Amino acid sequence: MVTSAAVLLVAILVLGGLLAVLGDRLGTKVGKARLRLFGLRPRQTATVVTILTGTAIAASTLSLLFAFSKPLRQGVFEIDDILAEVRKAQGDLENTRQEKTRVEQELGRVTQEKSQVEQGLLKAQELFTNTNQQVSGLKTEVTELRQERQKLARDRENLTRDRATLLKQRNVLLARLPKLQGRVEVQEKELTQRRQTIDQKQKQIAKQDRTLQEREKRLQQLQIQRQTLQEELNRRDSLISDRDRAILELDTAISGRDRALKEREKRLARLEQHIALLRERIQTLSQNYQGLRQGTLAITRGQVLSFGVVRIVDSTGARNAIDQLLREANRAAIIATQRDRNATNERVVKISQSQVEQLANQIRDGKDYVVRILSAGNYVESEPAVLVFGDVALNKELFKPNEVLATIPVKPSQMTPTELENRLDLLLAQAQSRARRAGLLGDIKVGESDSLTTVAQIVTLNQFIEQLQDSPGEIDRLQAVVTDTTYTAGPLKLRLVALRDGKVTFTTRF
């Protein structure tokens, strides 16, 4: 993979080699000139010069690492702060979870109280319904009594009219008294009977009036009780509304706490991922630095010395392809260990015959395979032999064009260029991790051109960061997208895409 880390490593190796050559020549000249420093002998002076040269190599290496690798500086000098922040985030997460548990308990208690209030409301509604039924019955009885009273009133009026008529008749009869004495006595008896009837009717009317008044009083009492029940019902409705609002506020608070909890969990995951990346880089750089201290590291463990895609169509082609890759690996090992490059017949790489036969048998079925020859260990310059081993993988399709490999959220308006660069490094690291897990063995390039250089890629990434900072709208996400169909052999070509509200704002152009 061609990244800024690879460029930095190459620069360290070149600088270390130049300083080593300079120190060797300086020591040689000091030894030949038999110079003396601080009153030391020439041999001791040469030793001092060699020590100073080695110190310069180590100091320049560390200076380059700390100057151009911010993750290393953070990993060495700020690892304690990052771990403290992680522990603090974990503590906040635990406090939030406890608060969520307490709020859920409070919500359960409020829900129980709401159920009790609803049961009381149901009982009040039943009592209200029964009261309404009683009121309706009383209204019906009052209506009937009023109708009966009106009927009795009409009867009284009729009797009054009859009485007046009889009085008139009586007067006439009194005038005709001598003749009608007998008839008067009869009519007086009838009048007395009718008066008794009227008195009885009046007594009945008075009794019905008293009954009507009593029922009207009872109706008023029922209306007062109904009004009281209605007020109690309104009060309980208001109480239920208040409880509903309290439950809604608790739900809103729980939702807010859940969102905050999710944000903190995402932040914790990002910090843990960042710490894992820093630890991996520190381990790799420590191994390389240890190799530099022990000697000029020419070949690292697992380094690819030769690489090729083969398809075997006849029985002898498998062995020939393996031999060709071993010859290329031998040339690469000679160049890396700075041996005599003209001695191409010298066999530096070592591999057992059984491993060669095993590799040949794996690729004889006529399919496309990716064959790699890798170093089995770390080797310094002028090593007499380099142990290697072979690796075979089926060259299958891994990714299709426009497939998204990684996505991260960003807020360019609130981030510095260094923070944007770190987010971009994280996006490329996620894309690389997914590609390697999928089985990619070749290089990963940010661009579409096969001849894209490392410098051009760095310039393009810087231009992309400048576009993010100068964008008039707020960019919310970055994506790493596959440009071409990618197989196991690679290379994987990526295009960086800036999104706002799910729409593409701009991409890297090459």
Side-chain angles (χ1 to χ4, degrees), residues 14-133:
V14 172
L15 180 60
L18 292 175
L19 290 174
V21 172
L22 180 61
D24 182 63
R25 292 185 177 179
L26 183 61
T28 302
K29 289 183 178 180
V30 170
K32 289 181 178 180
R34 301 185 65 81
L35 297 177
R36 293 173 176 269
L37 292 176
F38 310 111
L40 298 175
R41 293 181 179 179
R43 178 177 296 177
Q44 295 175 343
T45 301
T47 302
V48 170
V49 171
T50 304
I51 292 173
L52 292 176
T53 304
T55 303
I57 293 174
S60 62
T61 302
L62 290 175
S63 298
L64 281 174
L65 290 175
F66 290 147
F68 295 98
S69 179
K70 184 177 180 181
L72 179 60
R73 291 199 305 273
Q74 292 177 343
V76 174
F77 298 109
E78 300 179 8
I79 186 67
D80 293 334
D81 296 337
I82 295 174
L83 292 176
E85 187 176 357
V86 171
R87 287 193 293 270
K88 182 179 178 182
Q90 289 176 346
D92 293 341
L93 178 61
E94 183 63 26
N95 293 334
T96 304
R97 286 176 177 169
Q98 293 177 357
E99 183 67 17
K100 179 182 178 183
T101 302
R102 187 186 66 76
V103 172
E104 289 177 349
Q105 293 176 354
E106 181 68 17
L107 178 61
R109 185 180 64 79
V110 172
T111 304
Q112 186 177 3
E113 292 180 359
K114 179 182 177 183
S115 300
Q116 295 175 357
V117 172
E118 289 178 350
Q119 291 177 359
L121 178 62
L122 291 175
K123 292 180 180 179
Q125 288 178 348
E126 291 178 357
L127 181 60
F128 182 71
T129 302
N130 295 331
T131 305
N132 283 335
Q133 292 177 355

Side-chain angles (χ1 to χ4, degrees), residues 165-207:
T165 303
L166 290 173
L167 288 174
K168 289 179 180 179
Q169 291 177 359
R170 179 186 177 187
N171 293 330
V172 174
L173 289 173
L174 288 175
R176 297 168 61 186
L177 182 62
K179 296 180 180 179
L180 300 174
Q181 186 68 37
R183 295 176 59 183
V184 168
E185 293 178 357
V186 175
Q187 289 181 353
E188 284 181 353
K189 291 181 180 179
E190 292 179 356
L191 181 60
T192 302
Q193 292 178 354
R194 289 188 177 183
R195 285 178 178 176
Q196 292 177 353
T197 303
I198 289 173
D199 292 336
Q200 291 177 355
K201 294 288 185 179
Q202 288 180 347
K203 289 180 180 179
Q204 291 180 356
I205 290 174
K207 183 178 180 181

Side-chain angles (χ1 to χ4, degrees), residues 158-385:
N158 293 330
L159 290 174
T160 302
R161 285 193 300 269
D162 292 341
R163 180 183 178 186
T165 303
L166 290 173
L167 288 174
K168 289 179 180 179
Q169 291 177 359
R170 179 186 177 187
N171 293 330
V172 174
L173 289 173
L174 288 175
R176 297 168 61 186
L177 182 62
K179 296 180 180 179
L180 300 174
Q181 186 68 37
R183 295 176 59 183
V184 168
E185 293 178 357
V186 175
Q187 289 181 353
E188 284 181 353
K189 291 181 180 179
E190 292 179 356
L191 181 60
T192 302
Q193 292 178 354
R194 289 188 177 183
R195 285 178 178 176
Q196 292 177 353
T197 303
I198 289 173
D199 292 336
Q200 291 177 355
K201 294 288 185 179
Q202 288 180 347
K203 289 180 180 179
Q204 291 180 356
I205 290 174
K207 183 178 180 181
Q208 289 180 354
D209 287 339
R210 287 193 298 271
T211 304
L212 181 61
Q213 290 177 357
E214 291 177 356
R215 292 188 176 181
E216 285 179 349
K217 289 181 181 179
R218 185 178 177 186
L219 178 61
Q220 290 177 355
Q221 292 175 355
L222 289 175
Q223 287 178 346
I224 293 173
Q225 186 178 4
R226 178 183 177 183
Q227 184 177 2
T228 304
L229 290 174
Q230 185 66 37
E231 290 177 355
E232 179 66 20
L233 184 62
N234 293 333
R235 188 183 67 80
R236 294 194 177 185
D237 288 338
S238 177
L239 181 61
I240 291 174
S241 299
D242 294 338
R243 294 295 174 87
D244 289 337
R245 285 194 295 271
I247 292 173
L248 181 60
E249 292 175 357
L250 288 174
D251 290 338
T252 304
I254 291 173
S255 300
R257 295 293 177 86
D258 288 338
R259 287 193 297 270
L261 181 62
K262 291 180 180 179
E263 290 293 332
R264 292 184 179 181
E265 288 177 348
K266 290 180 180 179
R267 183 182 177 188
L268 179 60
R270 288 196 299 268
L271 287 174
E272 290 177 348
Q273 185 178 10
H274 187 56
I275 290 174
L277 291 174
L278 288 176
R279 287 176 176 172
E280 184 178 354
R281 290 186 179 181
I282 290 172
Q283 184 179 4
T284 303
L285 292 172
S286 298
Q287 292 176 354
N288 294 336
Y289 179 68
Q290 185 66 26
L292 289 172
R293 288 181 59 87
Q294 293 176 355
T296 303
L297 192 63
I299 300 174
T300 60
R301 183 189 305 274
Q303 179 177 338
V304 179
L305 298 179
S306 63
F307 178 94
V309 179
V310 299
R311 176 187 292 178
I312 305 304
V313 296
D314 55 31
S315 59
T316 61
R319 185 58 182 268
N320 293 335
I322 298 299
D323 290 340
Q324 178 64 29
L325 290 173
L326 288 174
R327 285 193 293 271
E328 293 178 3
N330 191 67
R331 286 195 295 271
I334 292 174
I335 295 173
T337 56
Q338 296 186 1
R339 302 172 66 88
D340 187 2
R341 300 186 181 183
N342 295 323
T344 56
N345 295 327
E346 183 181 359
R347 187 63 178 265
V348 177
V349 297
K350 303 295 182 182
I351 187 171
S352 65
Q353 189 65 26
S354 61
Q355 288 182 337
V356 175
E357 292 296 334
Q358 183 179 2
L359 292 174
N361 292 331
Q362 289 178 339
I363 63 176
R364 277 180 178 153
D365 57 1
K367 298 180 181 179
D368 288 340
Y369 286 96
V370 180
V371 182
R372 299 184 301 167
I373 305 299
L374 303 97
S375 171
N378 295 324
Y379 298 96
V380 296
E381 294 179 358
S382 302
E383 285 279 356

